[in-house]
mmCIF file of all heavy atoms in Angstrom:
data_model
loop_
_atom_site.group_PDB
_atom_site.id
_atom_site.type_symbol
_atom_site.label_atom_id
_atom_site.label_comp_id
_atom_site.label_asym_id
_atom_site.label_seq_id
_atom_site.Cartn_x
_atom_site.Cartn_y
_atom_site.Cartn_z
ATOM 1 N N ALA D 19 21.067 9.359 -1.352
ATOM 2 C CA ALA D 19 21.730 8.468 -0.379
ATOM 3 C C ALA D 19 21.886 9.105 0.964
ATOM 4 O O ALA D 19 22.034 10.338 1.068
ATOM 5 C CB ALA D 19 23.110 8.105 -0.948
ATOM 6 N N GLN D 20 21.781 8.339 1.998
ATOM 7 C CA GLN D 20 21.936 8.748 3.392
ATOM 8 C C GLN D 20 21.032 9.935 3.793
ATOM 9 O O GLN D 20 21.484 10.846 4.430
ATOM 10 C CB GLN D 20 23.398 9.104 3.640
ATOM 11 C CG GLN D 20 24.306 7.893 3.383
ATOM 12 C CD GLN D 20 25.749 8.187 3.703
ATOM 13 O OE1 GLN D 20 26.080 9.183 4.454
ATOM 14 N NE2 GLN D 20 26.628 7.368 3.208
ATOM 15 N N ALA D 21 19.792 9.819 3.311
ATOM 16 C CA ALA D 21 18.842 10.897 3.676
ATOM 17 C C ALA D 21 17.482 10.239 4.002
ATOM 18 O O ALA D 21 17.221 9.107 3.539
ATOM 19 C CB ALA D 21 18.700 11.820 2.530
ATOM 20 N N VAL D 22 16.664 10.937 4.718
ATOM 21 C CA VAL D 22 15.349 10.460 4.982
ATOM 22 C C VAL D 22 14.415 10.960 3.886
ATOM 23 O O VAL D 22 14.468 12.135 3.579
ATOM 24 C CB VAL D 22 14.842 11.016 6.374
ATOM 25 C CG1 VAL D 22 13.387 10.603 6.545
ATOM 26 C CG2 VAL D 22 15.766 10.464 7.485
ATOM 27 N N THR D 23 13.592 10.053 3.370
ATOM 28 C CA THR D 23 12.700 10.447 2.311
ATOM 29 C C THR D 23 11.339 9.895 2.638
ATOM 30 O O THR D 23 11.101 8.714 2.870
ATOM 31 C CB THR D 23 13.107 9.897 0.942
ATOM 32 O OG1 THR D 23 14.450 10.297 0.654
ATOM 33 C CG2 THR D 23 12.195 10.278 -0.194
ATOM 34 N N SER D 24 10.321 10.750 2.677
ATOM 35 C CA SER D 24 9.017 10.355 3.013
ATOM 36 C C SER D 24 8.346 9.708 1.785
ATOM 37 O O SER D 24 8.639 10.033 0.698
ATOM 38 C CB SER D 24 8.104 11.576 3.387
ATOM 39 O OG SER D 24 8.603 12.131 4.617
ATOM 40 N N SER D 25 7.488 8.762 2.125
ATOM 41 C CA SER D 25 6.719 8.062 1.062
ATOM 42 C C SER D 25 5.349 7.756 1.571
ATOM 43 O O SER D 25 4.872 8.398 2.486
ATOM 44 C CB SER D 25 7.504 6.751 0.760
ATOM 45 O OG SER D 25 6.909 6.007 -0.213
ATOM 46 N N PHE D 26 4.733 6.795 0.942
ATOM 47 C CA PHE D 26 3.369 6.365 1.265
ATOM 48 C C PHE D 26 3.250 5.830 2.713
ATOM 49 O O PHE D 26 4.089 5.112 3.218
ATOM 50 C CB PHE D 26 2.987 5.266 0.304
ATOM 51 C CG PHE D 26 1.604 4.640 0.531
ATOM 52 C CD1 PHE D 26 0.514 5.324 0.221
ATOM 53 C CD2 PHE D 26 1.515 3.417 1.185
ATOM 54 C CE1 PHE D 26 -0.776 4.790 0.475
ATOM 55 C CE2 PHE D 26 0.286 2.905 1.442
ATOM 56 C CZ PHE D 26 -0.895 3.556 1.049
ATOM 57 N N LEU D 27 2.218 6.211 3.398
ATOM 58 C CA LEU D 27 1.921 5.729 4.775
ATOM 59 C C LEU D 27 0.729 4.709 4.671
ATOM 60 O O LEU D 27 -0.248 4.977 4.008
ATOM 61 C CB LEU D 27 1.541 6.806 5.732
ATOM 62 C CG LEU D 27 2.664 7.847 5.998
ATOM 63 C CD1 LEU D 27 2.117 8.938 6.868
ATOM 64 C CD2 LEU D 27 3.748 7.148 6.740
ATOM 65 N N VAL D 28 0.881 3.602 5.319
ATOM 66 C CA VAL D 28 -0.163 2.600 5.361
ATOM 67 C C VAL D 28 -1.300 3.180 6.162
ATOM 68 O O VAL D 28 -1.083 3.600 7.300
ATOM 69 C CB VAL D 28 0.325 1.239 5.915
ATOM 70 C CG1 VAL D 28 -0.832 0.265 6.058
ATOM 71 C CG2 VAL D 28 1.440 0.701 5.055
ATOM 72 N N ASP D 29 -2.552 3.150 5.664
ATOM 73 C CA ASP D 29 -3.667 3.652 6.266
ATOM 74 C C ASP D 29 -4.134 2.800 7.390
ATOM 75 O O ASP D 29 -4.431 1.614 7.227
ATOM 76 C CB ASP D 29 -4.813 3.848 5.240
ATOM 77 C CG ASP D 29 -6.070 4.518 5.801
ATOM 78 O OD1 ASP D 29 -6.072 4.914 6.962
ATOM 79 O OD2 ASP D 29 -7.042 4.548 5.121
ATOM 80 N N ALA D 30 -4.270 3.371 8.611
ATOM 81 C CA ALA D 30 -4.737 2.611 9.744
ATOM 82 C C ALA D 30 -6.116 2.063 9.559
ATOM 83 O O ALA D 30 -6.522 1.122 10.199
ATOM 84 C CB ALA D 30 -4.627 3.460 11.014
#
Side-chain angles (χ1 to χ4, degrees):
Q20 300 183 20
V22 174
T23 303
S24 295
S25 181
F26 175 77
L27 294 175
V28 175
D29 182 8

